[in-house]
PDB file of all heavy atoms in Angstrom:
ATOM      1  N   GLU A 170      10.644  10.531  11.571  1.00  0.00           N
ATOM      2  CA  GLU A 170      11.389   9.365  11.047  1.00  0.00           C
ATOM      3  C   GLU A 170      11.832   9.570   9.605  1.00  0.00           C
ATOM      4  O   GLU A 170      12.766   8.915   9.139  1.00  0.00           O
ATOM      5  CB  GLU A 170      10.516   8.096  11.097  1.00  0.00           C
ATOM      6  CG  GLU A 170      10.139   7.628  12.480  1.00  0.00           C
ATOM      7  CD  GLU A 170       8.867   8.301  12.984  1.00  0.00           C
ATOM      8  OE1 GLU A 170       8.397   9.269  12.349  1.00  0.00           O
ATOM      9  OE2 GLU A 170       8.356   7.869  14.022  1.00  0.00           O
ATOM     10  N   GLU A 171      11.125  10.433   8.870  1.00  0.00           N
ATOM     11  CA  GLU A 171      11.348  10.511   7.419  1.00  0.00           C
ATOM     12  C   GLU A 171      12.283  11.643   6.988  1.00  0.00           C
ATOM     13  O   GLU A 171      12.413  11.920   5.794  1.00  0.00           O
ATOM     14  CB  GLU A 171       9.989  10.632   6.712  1.00  0.00           C
ATOM     15  CG  GLU A 171       9.134   9.392   6.912  1.00  0.00           C
ATOM     16  CD  GLU A 171       7.748   9.462   6.276  1.00  0.00           C
ATOM     17  OE1 GLU A 171       7.295  10.587   5.941  1.00  0.00           O
ATOM     18  OE2 GLU A 171       7.112   8.410   6.147  1.00  0.00           O
ATOM     19  N   GLN A 172      12.964  12.245   7.957  1.00  0.00           N
ATOM     20  CA  GLN A 172      13.836  13.394   7.643  1.00  0.00           C
ATOM     21  C   GLN A 172      14.966  13.019   6.686  1.00  0.00           C
ATOM     22  O   GLN A 172      15.443  13.840   5.922  1.00  0.00           O
ATOM     23  CB  GLN A 172      14.441  13.972   8.931  1.00  0.00           C
ATOM     24  CG  GLN A 172      13.438  14.439   9.964  1.00  0.00           C
ATOM     25  CD  GLN A 172      12.622  15.632   9.489  1.00  0.00           C
ATOM     26  OE1 GLN A 172      13.151  16.514   8.834  1.00  0.00           O
ATOM     27  NE2 GLN A 172      11.341  15.638   9.794  1.00  0.00           N
ATOM     28  N   ARG A 173      15.414  11.754   6.752  1.00  0.00           N
ATOM     29  CA  ARG A 173      16.571  11.347   5.937  1.00  0.00           C
ATOM     30  C   ARG A 173      16.193  10.954   4.513  1.00  0.00           C
ATOM     31  O   ARG A 173      17.072  10.631   3.713  1.00  0.00           O
ATOM     32  CB  ARG A 173      17.244  10.120   6.561  1.00  0.00           C
ATOM     33  CG  ARG A 173      17.953  10.390   7.846  1.00  0.00           C
ATOM     34  CD  ARG A 173      18.187   9.070   8.583  1.00  0.00           C
ATOM     35  NE  ARG A 173      18.355   9.329  10.001  1.00  0.00           N
ATOM     36  CZ  ARG A 173      19.517   9.308  10.625  1.00  0.00           C
ATOM     37  NH1 ARG A 173      20.604   8.992   9.972  1.00  0.00           N
ATOM     38  NH2 ARG A 173      19.603   9.592  11.905  1.00  0.00           N
ATOM     39  N   ILE A 174      14.915  10.913   4.199  1.00  0.00           N
ATOM     40  CA  ILE A 174      14.506  10.448   2.862  1.00  0.00           C
ATOM     41  C   ILE A 174      14.994  11.418   1.787  1.00  0.00           C
ATOM     42  O   ILE A 174      14.828  12.637   1.896  1.00  0.00           O
ATOM     43  CB  ILE A 174      12.966  10.278   2.795  1.00  0.00           C
ATOM     44  CG1 ILE A 174      12.549   9.112   3.691  1.00  0.00           C
ATOM     45  CG2 ILE A 174      12.495  10.053   1.364  1.00  0.00           C
ATOM     46  CD1 ILE A 174      11.058   8.816   3.710  1.00  0.00           C
ATOM     47  N   THR A 175      15.622  10.874   0.752  1.00  0.00           N
ATOM     48  CA  THR A 175      16.180  11.698  -0.329  1.00  0.00           C
ATOM     49  C   THR A 175      15.392  11.472  -1.626  1.00  0.00           C
ATOM     50  O   THR A 175      14.645  10.499  -1.744  1.00  0.00           O
ATOM     51  CB  THR A 175      17.637  11.278  -0.609  1.00  0.00           C
ATOM     52  OG1 THR A 175      17.610   9.871  -0.950  1.00  0.00           O
ATOM     53  CG2 THR A 175      18.529  11.496   0.598  1.00  0.00           C
ATOM     54  N   LEU A 176      15.664  12.340  -2.592  1.00  0.00           N
ATOM     55  CA  LEU A 176      15.030  12.173  -3.910  1.00  0.00           C
ATOM     56  C   LEU A 176      15.468  10.841  -4.528  1.00  0.00           C
ATOM     57  O   LEU A 176      14.671  10.134  -5.138  1.00  0.00           O
ATOM     58  CB  LEU A 176      15.403  13.340  -4.834  1.00  0.00           C
ATOM     59  CG  LEU A 176      14.753  13.292  -6.218  1.00  0.00           C
ATOM     60  CD1 LEU A 176      13.229  13.324  -6.139  1.00  0.00           C
ATOM     61  CD2 LEU A 176      15.243  14.442  -7.099  1.00  0.00           C
ATOM     62  N   GLU A 177      16.721  10.504  -4.310  1.00  0.00           N
ATOM     63  CA  GLU A 177      17.255   9.236  -4.849  1.00  0.00           C
ATOM     64  C   GLU A 177      16.451   8.038  -4.315  1.00  0.00           C
ATOM     65  O   GLU A 177      16.136   7.110  -5.068  1.00  0.00           O
ATOM     66  CB  GLU A 177      18.713   9.130  -4.404  1.00  0.00           C
ATOM     67  CG  GLU A 177      19.515   8.094  -5.119  1.00  0.00           C
ATOM     68  CD  GLU A 177      20.875   7.898  -4.451  1.00  0.00           C
ATOM     69  OE1 GLU A 177      21.123   8.463  -3.357  1.00  0.00           O
ATOM     70  OE2 GLU A 177      21.669   7.151  -5.021  1.00  0.00           O
ATOM     71  N   TYR A 178      16.101   8.097  -3.038  1.00  0.00           N
ATOM     72  CA  TYR A 178      15.358   6.995  -2.412  1.00  0.00           C
ATOM     73  C   TYR A 178      13.953   6.885  -3.004  1.00  0.00           C
ATOM     74  O   TYR A 178      13.539   5.797  -3.419  1.00  0.00           O
ATOM     75  CB  TYR A 178      15.302   7.219  -0.899  1.00  0.00           C
ATOM     76  CG  TYR A 178      14.650   6.094  -0.120  1.00  0.00           C
ATOM     77  CD1 TYR A 178      15.205   4.827  -0.073  1.00  0.00           C
ATOM     78  CD2 TYR A 178      13.479   6.314   0.599  1.00  0.00           C
ATOM     79  CE1 TYR A 178      14.612   3.793   0.651  1.00  0.00           C
ATOM     80  CE2 TYR A 178      12.873   5.292   1.329  1.00  0.00           C
ATOM     81  CZ  TYR A 178      13.451   4.043   1.360  1.00  0.00           C
ATOM     82  OH  TYR A 178      12.855   3.028   2.079  1.00  0.00           O
ATOM     83  N   VAL A 179      13.235   8.006  -3.088  1.00  0.00           N
ATOM     84  CA  VAL A 179      11.865   7.918  -3.628  1.00  0.00           C
ATOM     85  C   VAL A 179      11.885   7.605  -5.132  1.00  0.00           C
ATOM     86  O   VAL A 179      10.986   6.951  -5.651  1.00  0.00           O
ATOM     87  CB  VAL A 179      10.976   9.159  -3.320  1.00  0.00           C
ATOM     88  CG1 VAL A 179      10.566   9.184  -1.868  1.00  0.00           C
ATOM     89  CG2 VAL A 179      11.599  10.457  -3.733  1.00  0.00           C
ATOM     90  N   GLN A 180      12.950   8.061  -5.812  1.00  0.00           N
ATOM     91  CA  GLN A 180      13.087   7.722  -7.241  1.00  0.00           C
ATOM     92  C   GLN A 180      13.263   6.205  -7.408  1.00  0.00           C
ATOM     93  O   GLN A 180      12.638   5.587  -8.275  1.00  0.00           O
ATOM     94  CB  GLN A 180      14.300   8.457  -7.843  1.00  0.00           C
ATOM     95  CG  GLN A 180      14.531   8.188  -9.328  1.00  0.00           C
ATOM     96  CD  GLN A 180      13.504   8.853 -10.231  1.00  0.00           C
ATOM     97  OE1 GLN A 180      13.320  10.071 -10.185  1.00  0.00           O
ATOM     98  NE2 GLN A 180      12.810   8.059 -11.050  1.00  0.00           N
ATOM     99  N   ALA A 181      14.100   5.608  -6.565  1.00  0.00           N
ATOM    100  CA  ALA A 181      14.334   4.157  -6.653  1.00  0.00           C
ATOM    101  C   ALA A 181      13.038   3.382  -6.362  1.00  0.00           C
ATOM    102  O   ALA A 181      12.713   2.424  -7.080  1.00  0.00           O
ATOM    103  CB  ALA A 181      15.427   3.746  -5.665  1.00  0.00           C
ATOM    104  N   LEU A 182      12.287   3.823  -5.348  1.00  0.00           N
ATOM    105  CA  LEU A 182      11.019   3.144  -5.040  1.00  0.00           C
ATOM    106  C   LEU A 182      10.004   3.343  -6.159  1.00  0.00           C
ATOM    107  O   LEU A 182       9.262   2.429  -6.517  1.00  0.00           O
ATOM    108  CB  LEU A 182      10.441   3.665  -3.716  1.00  0.00           C
ATOM    109  CG  LEU A 182      11.188   3.243  -2.450  1.00  0.00           C
ATOM    110  CD1 LEU A 182      10.609   3.945  -1.225  1.00  0.00           C
ATOM    111  CD2 LEU A 182      11.125   1.723  -2.250  1.00  0.00           C
ATOM    112  N   HIS A 183      10.021   4.545  -6.744  1.00  0.00           N
ATOM    113  CA  HIS A 183       9.134   4.821  -7.876  1.00  0.00           C
ATOM    114  C   HIS A 183       9.453   3.867  -9.032  1.00  0.00           C
ATOM    115  O   HIS A 183       8.554   3.241  -9.599  1.00  0.00           O
ATOM    116  CB  HIS A 183       9.317   6.276  -8.319  1.00  0.00           C
ATOM    117  CG  HIS A 183       8.607   6.599  -9.609  1.00  0.00           C
ATOM    118  ND1 HIS A 183       7.255   6.819  -9.675  1.00  0.00           N
ATOM    119  CD2 HIS A 183       9.073   6.701 -10.883  1.00  0.00           C
ATOM    120  CE1 HIS A 183       6.908   7.054 -10.932  1.00  0.00           C
ATOM    121  NE2 HIS A 183       7.994   6.981 -11.684  1.00  0.00           N
ATOM    122  N   ASP A 184      10.736   3.754  -9.373  1.00  0.00           N
ATOM    123  CA  ASP A 184      11.141   2.897 -10.501  1.00  0.00           C
ATOM    124  C   ASP A 184      10.704   1.445 -10.255  1.00  0.00           C
ATOM    125  O   ASP A 184      10.247   0.773 -11.179  1.00  0.00           O
ATOM    126  CB  ASP A 184      12.662   2.957 -10.707  1.00  0.00           C
ATOM    127  CG  ASP A 184      13.111   4.350 -11.157  1.00  0.00           C
ATOM    128  OD1 ASP A 184      12.245   5.151 -11.570  1.00  0.00           O
ATOM    129  OD2 ASP A 184      14.324   4.640 -11.073  1.00  0.00           O
TER     130      ASP A 184
END
Side-chain angles (χ1 to χ4, degrees):
E170 295 87 349
E171 296 178 343
Q172 302 294 321
R173 290 162 203 256
I174 292 181
T175 58
L176 182 60
E177 194 190 8
Y178 184 65
V179 287
Q180 180 72 56
L182 289 174
H183 171 78
D184 294 345

